Amino acid sequence: MTDTESHSGRKPGADSDTPQQGELDYKINLLFGGSVVRKDLVKAVKGNAIVPSYVLEYLLGQYAASDDEATIQAGIDAVRKILSTHYVHRNESELVKSTIKEKGRHRIIDKVTVTLNDKEDVYQASFANLGITNVIVDPATVKANPKLLVGGVWCICDIEYFHSDDSHVVPWILGSLKAIQMSSFDYEEYLASREGFNTEEWIDLLIQSIGFNPEMFGRRAKLLQLVRLIPFVERNYNLVELGPKGTGKSHIYSEFSPHGMLISGGEITVPKLFVNNANGRIGLVGYWDVVAFDEFAGKKKRTDKALVDIMKNYMANKSFSRGVETLGAEASMVFVGNTSHTVPYMLKHSDLFDELPEAYHDSAYLDRLHFYIPGWEIDTIRSEMFSSGYGFVVDYIAEVLRYMRNTDYSDRYQQHFTLGTDISTRDRDGIHKTFSGLMKLIYPGGKATPSEIEELLRLAIEGRKRVKDQILRIDTTMSAVNFGYSDMTGAWHGVTTLEEDEHPDYYQPRLAETEDTEELSVEPEPARKKDAAPVPPIAEVAAPLFEGHREFQENQRGVSYETLLMPYLRGAANITIIDPYIRLPHQGRNLVDLLALLAAAKDPAEEIAVTLVTKEDRSEYAQQHLLMLKDIQDSAATAGIHFDVTWDETIHDRSIRTDHGWKLLLGRGLDIFQKGSGSQFDLGSRRQEFRQVFAFGITYINEGEDNS
């Protein structure tokens, strides 16, 4: 994305309701034709059908996997007709039953669950929406689709009706059943097509496949979204995500793949999850690639101690016990839940696992987690965040990810980097599995540059560090770990979490004993003679302003022009802002925010001069650009600021210079804040420190006072 575009990726005045195929979408269709679909079509066909996205995309992939508009419209019409004719709405189940009876045979789309009736030695199917049960299923069908036995599968079925005078005979007959999922794909073709994309394009394709518009996300935010996919591509991967409501934590596990199962945290039982000792039936972990627990948080939730113990063993050893027999499974475990407090509040009063049920707020359980997604960094999902571009048909990418569970890329960093020596085996396992998963997602061929590898390694270390640092708050017997890595020159690179950088005073474990000791060691203030004059306070000496370079991470909060820029601008009479891109409305608002701070900080009786050196907008929006700058000039004048604009087509770097000697080099200029919700009731629209920032750097240089 260039600086002349908005963060949403659309130029001002573009029609956001009309999807426009860009270069990336063209390349996607060229290299993956037939395996991709336009993501906004799901909404277009869904209507009031309560079916997972992968079911709809399966149908769209059959009829509308094209970039030809006529073909797409014909495909949408076909899928709508199929849904209206064959999808069973619960409130219309009796009508569908009547149709089957009158026609003798009718095709339906429904979720089918199968159980074994061991008394009669037959398999029997239940249809969730149609509301019929005990339908006989052929053993070969069950063998071909074992997930029918656990949780159920969405299927296209032919149902027949034949009435019998025998009341024990079910009149419903299953004529045919086809699970809604792909039967095969060419992995080598997938790898070959991947080579046609650079890293940024490929990440954007994956984000569009999830259903989001990549232009609404920064690099770090995209990678955090991709971490949610690691359980599908890594066996026995244990992931936790806690954060505010509405950030899409459970969406991927319910909608993205037919190989994942999302269940409510309150529905977890040993028989359902692992094994039913009464009948020997294996639970969810034996049949699904990913088992995700929704609404897992809640301190007061009742938990089964036996379940917690079995889960600990499974998460550590990939096995569980059935009586005297030990069984293994490959299902990854995902725990998602909502937080009710801010990050600094949790760090000050407890820890970042504070919301978990008491039985799970245990160091032995937490130590099994490989990565903690900081859900508070992820934006609340808004309508403009959904993609209208092309992405993989969900069923296709789900099969690709499942296939890659057989590969291991955990050692691909070792020819360039070495983990710290005091990182434990369990910490290494977490880092390795996360790194391997990200490599398989982004670089499925296994080849990446050292800088690309380093980016993924740092994120993998950070996610495990977030887990371990919180465990240290809970269990004081555990030793602190210096998380980081060395490169081939031997240089050490420490890794921190974002909340550690934002809230250093609260992040470190609270040492209660030390604090108590310090309180006891304070000497009492010496008594003063009666009527003696009070001792004057020691004059406060202003600390010198920082000189040098500072870096800020993507998604960081607590940053504002007030703290970042104003200490260096106060007292200046002439300020020059050099920024080639003050064109779009949000960039103009950023400039106004700074001018307002300057106006509030100066003596009302004084005036200051601010000059903006920028590039002239020569596009179709040039007139809007000039009008915006004129409005800013008029508004600033009422507050005692002489604002002028100078055009310079040669500039590129951004900086601010003052007449009292400071030069500030701004990596992104004033455009450091991510787009918020747009709501006038969003706190971030009122105060900058509540907004997330892009990754940027700033350098402070004291050049001495300008006497010219």
Side-chain angles (χ1 to χ4, degrees):
M1 183 175 68
T2 66
D3 291 297
T4 58
E5 295 173 342
S6 68
H7 187 45
S8 66
R10 297 188 183 278
K11 295 181 184 294
D15 182 1
S16 60
D17 296 327
T18 304
Q20 299 179 358
Q21 183 173 336
E23 292 181 11
L24 177 59
D25 286 333
Y26 175 79
K27 184 181 287 190
I28 291 170
N29 274 288
L30 180 67
L31 297 175
F32 283 104
S35 300
V36 295
V37 69
R38 216 175 72 202
K39 287 296 173 171
D40 59 329
L41 300 184
V42 174
K43 286 185 178 179
V45 302
K46 188 164 188 175
N48 62 346
I50 307 174
V51 295
S53 295
Y54 66 80
V55 173
L56 298 175
E57 290 195 17
Y58 174 87
L59 296 173
L60 288 168
Q62 304 295 308
Y63 297 94
S66 170
D67 60 349
D68 178 68
E69 194 61 35
T71 303
I72 289 173
Q73 289 304 318
I76 290 175
D77 293 340
V79 173
R80 281 175 174 161
K81 184 176 181 181
I82 290 170
L83 287 174
S84 64
T85 306
H86 302 295
Y87 174 75
V88 180
H89 295 272
R90 279 184 187 171
N91 58 353
E92 297 178 355
S93 61
E94 293 303 319
L95 178 60
V96 177
K97 290 179 187 177
S98 175
T99 301
I100 298 171
K101 177 183 182 300
E102 297 303 322
K103 292 174 60 177
R105 183 184 182 97
H106 182 62
R107 178 163 292 177
I108 67 168
I109 297 175
D110 202 351
K111 188 175 184 180
V112 184
T113 305
V114 172
T115 57
L116 173 63
N117 184 334
D118 50 6
K119 292 183 179 179
E120 299 183 16
D121 192 30
V122 293
Y123 290 105
Q124 297 175 321
S126 299
F127 293 75
N129 290 352
L130 188 58
I132 61 176
T133 59
N134 301 328
V135 180
I136 302 300
V137 184
D138 183 83
T141 300
V142 178
K143 186 175 181 180
N145 303 278
K147 289 181 182 175
L148 289 167
L149 294 165
V150 187
V153 177
W154 283 90
C155 304
I156 299 175
C157 305
D158 287 323
I159 304 295
E160 301 174 5
Y161 181 87
F162 182 80
H163 179 71
S164 171
D165 292 334
D166 186 348
S167 60
H168 293 93
V169 176
V170 177
W172 310 104
I173 301 169
L174 180 62
S176 67
L177 179 148
K178 181 181 180 182
I180 296 180
Q181 57 189 78
M182 289 183 60
S183 57
S184 63
F185 73 99
D186 189 333
Y187 182 62
E188 293 303 320
E189 184 178 335
Y190 173 82
L191 293 181
S193 297
R194 162 65 180 94
E195 295 302 312
F197 297 84
N198 62 36
T199 300
E200 184 176 357
E201 290 172 337
W202 184 254
I203 291 175
D204 286 354
L205 169 53
L206 293 176
I207 295 299
Q208 287 188 177
S209 298
I210 295 172
F212 292 129
N213 177 2
E215 293 172 344
M216 296 295 294
F217 296 81
R219 177 72 164 212
R220 177 177 170 87
K222 291 176 187 177
L223 292 178
L224 290 177
Q225 289 288 343
L226 295 186
V227 170
R228 290 173 167 175
L229 295 181
I230 295 178
F232 293 101
V233 79
E234 279 289 316
R235 292 189 177 104
N236 302 103
Y237 186 75
N238 305 321
L239 177 68
V240 64
E241 179 176 355
L242 302 176
K245 297 178 181 178
T247 56
K249 291 185 289 293
S250 59
H251 166 78
I252 282 179
Y253 310 109
S254 63
E255 301 281 322
F256 184 76
S257 171
H259 303 306
M261 168 62 72
L262 179 72
I263 60 176
S264 170
E267 296 178 2
I268 309 171
T269 63
V270 172
K272 183 171 184 176
L273 191 58
F274 293 106
V275 63
N276 188 330
N277 285 331
N279 55 25
R281 187 178 300 155
I282 303 299
L284 296 171
V285 297
Y287 293 91
W288 297 89
D289 290 351
V290 179
V291 179
F293 306 102
D294 196 13
E295 299 173 356
F296 191 70
K299 290 183 181 181
K300 303 300 181 183
K301 281 189 176 180
R302 297 179 60 185
T303 50
D304 181 353
K305 181 66 167 58
L307 173 64
V308 177
D309 291 339
I310 295 176
M311 192 178 292
K312 283 185 201 174
N313 185 65
Y314 174 76
M315 290 168 67
N317 305 314
K318 309 166 192 172
S319 62
F320 55 95
S321 176
R322 182 176 72 177
V324 297
E325 185 181 7
T326 299
L327 302 173
E330 299 179 354
S332 294
M333 309 283 268
V334 179
F335 308 93
V336 297
N338 297 327
T339 54
S340 55
H341 297 292
T342 64
V343 171
Y345 182 95
M346 289 187 285
L347 291 175
K348 181 177 181 179
H349 297 283
S350 54
D351 55 77
L352 297 180
F353 288 112
D354 180 57
E355 299 288 346
L356 293 186
E358 188 175 344
Y360 292 98
H361 198 261
D362 170 74
S363 60
Y365 160 76
L366 299 176
D367 205 24
R368 270 79 169 164
L369 296 170
H370 297 128
F371 196 101
Y372 186 147
I373 295 179
W376 48 86
E377 286 190 40
I378 297 174
D379 253 351
T380 302
I381 303 301
R382 306 184 300 275
S383 59
E384 67 266 25
M385 297 171 71
F386 293 108
S387 175
S388 59
Y390 285 81
F392 289 120
V393 173
V394 162
D395 204 48
Y396 172 80
I397 190 63
E399 293 304 316
V400 170
L401 300 187
R402 189 178 204 206
Y403 182 88
M404 287 196 290
R405 288 167 77 90
N406 297 317
T407 61
D408 180 19
Y409 287 164
S410 60
D411 62 347
R412 294 303 170 100
Y413 72 90
Q414 293 179 359
Q415 58 182 314
H416 304 290
F417 307 102
T418 304
L419 289 180
T421 55
D422 63 340
I423 295 179
S424 69
T425 300
R426 187 161 283 172
D427 293 330
R428 287 174 186 270
D429 287 344
I431 294 168
H432 285 170
K433 291 178 79 70
T434 301
F435 175 78
S436 176
L438 288 171
M439 279 290 294
K440 285 187 275 189
L441 287 167
I442 303 174
Y443 309 104
K447 298 177 182 178
T449 65
S451 62
E452 291 171 336
I453 287 173
E454 184 176 18
E455 177 184 37
L456 303 189
L457 181 62
R458 288 189 68 89
L459 183 61
I461 294 173
E462 180 195 333
R464 176 58 189 178
K465 183 181 191 297
R466 183 172 290 107
V467 173
K468 195 59 173 283
D469 285 353
Q470 302 314 302
I471 293 175
L472 293 175
R473 291 169 160 261
I474 299 168
D475 187 349
T476 57
T477 64
M478 284 199 172
S479 302
V481 178
N482 189 15
F483 281 92
Y485 57 94
S486 301
D487 58 29
M488 289 299 98
T489 68
W492 174 255
H493 302 269
V495 175
T496 60
T497 67
L498 183 55
E499 58 273 13
E500 182 177 4
D501 296 334
E502 285 184 316
H503 312 290
D505 293 340
Y506 299 134
Y507 192 83
Q508 299 303 326
R510 291 172 290 120
L511 303 177
E513 293 180 3
T514 304
E515 292 171 355
D516 292 342
T517 303
E518 290 175 351
E519 290 175 4
L520 291 173
S521 64
V522 175
E523 295 183 5
E525 185 179 341
R528 216 173 51 235
K529 293 182 179 180
K530 188 177 181 181
D531 299 328
V535 179
I538 299 174
E540 294 185 3
V541 179
L545 293 177
F546 170 80
E547 295 183 56
H549 185 74
R550 294 181 65 189
E551 286 285 341
F552 295 84
Q553 295 187 50
E554 181 184 326
N555 294 342
Q556 191 165 336
R557 288 187 172 90
V559 180
S560 68
Y561 293 161
E562 176 71 47
T563 57
L564 194 70
L565 305 177
M566 286 305 297
Y568 300 85
L569 304 184
R570 284 190 178 92
N574 289 278
I575 298 171
T576 301
I577 301 171
I578 302 174
D579 192 329
Y581 299 109
I582 302 291
R583 299 180 180 179
L584 299 175
H586 77 275
Q587 295 166 340
R589 288 193 295 270
N590 288 336
L591 175 58
V592 169
D593 285 344
L594 179 58
L595 294 177
L597 289 171
L598 290 170
K602 72 177 183 63
D603 186 326
E606 299 295 332
E607 294 182 343
I608 62 175
V610 176
T611 301
L612 171 65
V613 182
T614 189
K615 288 183 178 180
E616 189 173 0
D617 189 347
R618 300 184 185 277
S619 72
E620 58 186 299
Y621 307 106
Q623 188 63 30
Q624 297 177 26
H625 182 214
L626 293 174
L627 288 173
M628 179 184 76
L629 293 176
K630 181 64 168 63
D631 287 344
I632 293 173
Q633 185 179 51
D634 293 343
S635 176
T638 64
I641 296 179
H642 294 291
F643 177 72
D644 290 310
V645 179
T646 299
W647 308 109
D648 187 342
E649 299 304 313
T650 66
I651 60 172
H652 182 271
D653 294 338
R654 289 95 156 171
S655 65
I656 299 178
R657 295 172 182 265
T658 72
D659 62 345
H660 60 2
W662 281 102
K663 178 180 180 181
L664 282 54
L665 303 180
L666 311 175
R668 285 188 60 98
L670 299 178
D671 195 3
I672 62 174
F673 297 104
Q674 298 182 28
K675 182 179 178 181
S677 67
S679 168
Q680 61 178 321
F681 306 112
D682 181 4
L683 291 181
S685 67
R686 296 293 182 265
R687 293 189 65 91
Q688 293 176 335
E689 57 264 38
F690 296 120
R691 299 174 64 182
Q692 291 177 306
V693 300
F694 298 110
F696 74 95
I698 181 169
T699 303
Y700 302 95
I701 303 171
N702 190 346
E703 298 181 317
E705 189 167 350
D706 181 6
N707 295 317
S708 62

